[in-house]
Amino acid sequence: MKIHNFSSGPSILPKEVLQKASEAVVNFNNSGLSLIEISHRDPAFVEVLNAARSLTLELLDLKDKGYSVLFLQGGASMEFVRIATNLLNKKAGYINTGNWANNAQMEASFIGEVQEIASSKDRNYSYIPKSIHIPQDLDYVHITSNNTIYGTQYSEFPTVDVPLVCDMSSDLFSRVLDFSKFDLIYACAQKNAGTSGVNLVVIKNDILGKIEREIPNIMNYSKHIEKESMYNTPAVFSVYVSYLTLNWIKDKGGIAAMERRNRAKAHLMYSEIDRNSLFYGTAQQQDRSIMNAVFYLNEPRLTTLFDDWCIKNSIYGIKGHRTVGGYRASMYNALPIESVQHLVGVMQHFEESI
Amino acid sequence: MKIHNFSSGPSILPKEVLQKASEAVVNFNNSGLSLIEISHRDPAFVEVLNAARSLTLELLDLKDKGYSVLFLQGGASMEFVRIATNLLNKKAGYINTGNWANNAQMEASFIGEVQEIASSKDRNYSYIPKSIHIPQDLDYVHITSNNTIYGTQYSEFPTVDVPLVCDMSSDLFSRVLDFSKFDLIYACAQKNAGTSGVNLVVIKNDILGKIEREIPNIMNYSKHIEKESMYNTPAVFSVYVSYLTLNWIKDKGGIAAMERRNRAKAHLMYSEIDRNSLFYGTAQQQDRSIMNAVFYLNEPRLTTLFDDWCIKNSIYGIKGHRTVGGYRASMYNALPIESVQHLVGVMQHFEESI
């Protein structure tokens, strides 16, 4: 029976990507060697890495606009520190829209002064702050475009006069934006850009080199750019999965096509949450994420029953984050609309059965 | 035709490991889902991570001796910084036996004061310094047990009164040592412990928590230990390949069995380097690495000829590091002795052909 994978990340990947990645582990490019046992400086792998970097710029429409792309290691959590290390001189502004935004700010606070310039914590992160006053004296402003745990997402971004840094871990490549408005975009790969083990970092080159701090090479974006993302051995397999995933996005029509599919899925999902008498959503309507729909049972006593109902119906990864409970349907690029239709059907039948 | 893989890393892995890893990418544990699209908090993956951590202690004979095992990201290069961040209060001592040892020291120097307490740079890193005077006022001493680029390896380790930190990236799990003499052992996985994307760190718990510096969570060993190596999303696939590789080592008889095989391969290889009139080795005999045999042609004009000869004979990854040239036969655990026999035969035929 087909399993419907709503995992929040690591999350569903296209079947073609999994098939090719699996083949490469035993025989890469018909070389007779595995992808994971060849040198990372083998031309065949260097080509993969460079193609993935180039494809990232192409998909984001950032070619020839002064940006560099890196595939680094350590998760978005490592970028929390690396960003502050490379950009924070005097003070940075952070907008707190949830757990990960808060972590980004907390890790940066070990490096320098940070100011929380807006927060939606007052209503349990159920909305995106609007009309934010941005102080003039900031080295950069940091935001988190999509908040997986609470199911909120920016639809409009604040206008700032300083570099805008954005954690797009859970919605990069899912919708068309004017990416040139951002000076640094980063994302762990395990949502829409591959699997865990690698982080994409897209940096406008001219924001670097303005810091007085001495930076260890491995933490230094300029060093990684100089070495073309090969300062040390990359996470070869994870980079390859990103490469395959980016190619899949391109083959399917690029980000615009992804967005159309994602909006259709989200519409279907939220319509059912709003219609179904057993469930309710928590995110403010206009700030609802098209990636992660978070919802709860009106009657918590039905929890075990609905959990079992989901398992019986081959629904995987639907439980909410352990800090907030409830349910979360993650609908990343690779999730087919059929899986959302299936879940909606399951919710309808559950309602009828009660 | 079978390819003989002498790559210095990422390097050869057991066929069984590659086969199982490949299968898991399409169907993990017959779950109908891929290993790389399930949550890292799925019990099936948590079990893999915990088994890999436990197996590491078992193979190193460090169970119940106060050590913790972490599978982190960023490569050994990230540990260069993390080690200094967690352990360097006033001054640390580094022994410089090559490029990587030197990098470890250089990266630590961004964090605090480092002292080079010995070096073999005077003779191009062709030996391991002996009878080193260790100052009393060091927070720790850092050494690199095996130097892939120069083909040298410690056979005896310095006795120190302060924590001994060892980069075993290229020889962990290859020979039996009294690992309890070390307070922190670390290694990138892509030699004997899996593929790139993950670093093993084995820490004696009681050396931590003695630093005044405030440490970002992602850089903090204590935080990673508290979260059982799951502070953030691990490099799931790379951890799984380590898990499979560690199981393979255990199934084949553990580290003692690996060492017997490795010594037989190294003996064969060095005997040919010493015998063959066309080649010479550079590492001092008593410090020769059983992992990486580095050798050169007496007559550089034969280089292209020998390179072609190797390619024709399906020998992969034999070129020396780009900074030193020549040749390097890496003979990690997974390399069968037949590959060394093959290479020796190729060298003999080459000699006859000249």
Side-chain angles (χ1 to χ4, degrees), chain A residues 109-167:
Chain A
S109 75
F110 286 99
I111 311 300
E113 189 184 345
V114 295
Q115 180 182 349
E116 188 174 279
I117 56 177
S119 171
S120 53
K121 196 178 180 183
D122 58 341
R123 282 186 275 143
N124 199 28
Y125 300 122
S126 58
Y127 68 103
I128 298 291
K130 317 279 183 321
S131 310
I132 300 159
H133 169 72
I134 313 273
Q136 293 294 308
D137 61 342
L138 302 172
D139 293 321
Y140 61 88
V141 167
H142 180 281
I143 59 176
T144 309
S145 57
N146 184 70
N147 302 281
T148 49
I149 299 177
Y150 314 92
T152 65
Q153 187 175 33
Y154 282 82
S155 47
E156 284 183 37
F157 291 89
T159 306
V160 298
D161 296 328
V162 296
L164 184 59
V165 174
C166 189
D167 179 354

Side-chain angles (χ1 to χ4, degrees), chain B residues 123-127 149-152 270 273 280-285 288 294-296:
Chain B
R123 280 186 275 144
N124 199 28
Y125 300 122
S126 59
Y127 68 103
I149 298 178
Y150 313 93
T152 64
Y270 285 116
I273 291 170
Y280 68 97
T282 44
Q284 193 166 302
Q285 291 243 2
R288 279 174 163 178
V294 172
F295 56 102
Y296 293 82

Side-chain angles (χ1 to χ4, degrees), chain A residues 17 93 158 282 294 301 344 347:
Chain A
V17 168
T282 45
V294 173
R301 68 176 174 84
V344 164
M347 289 166 75

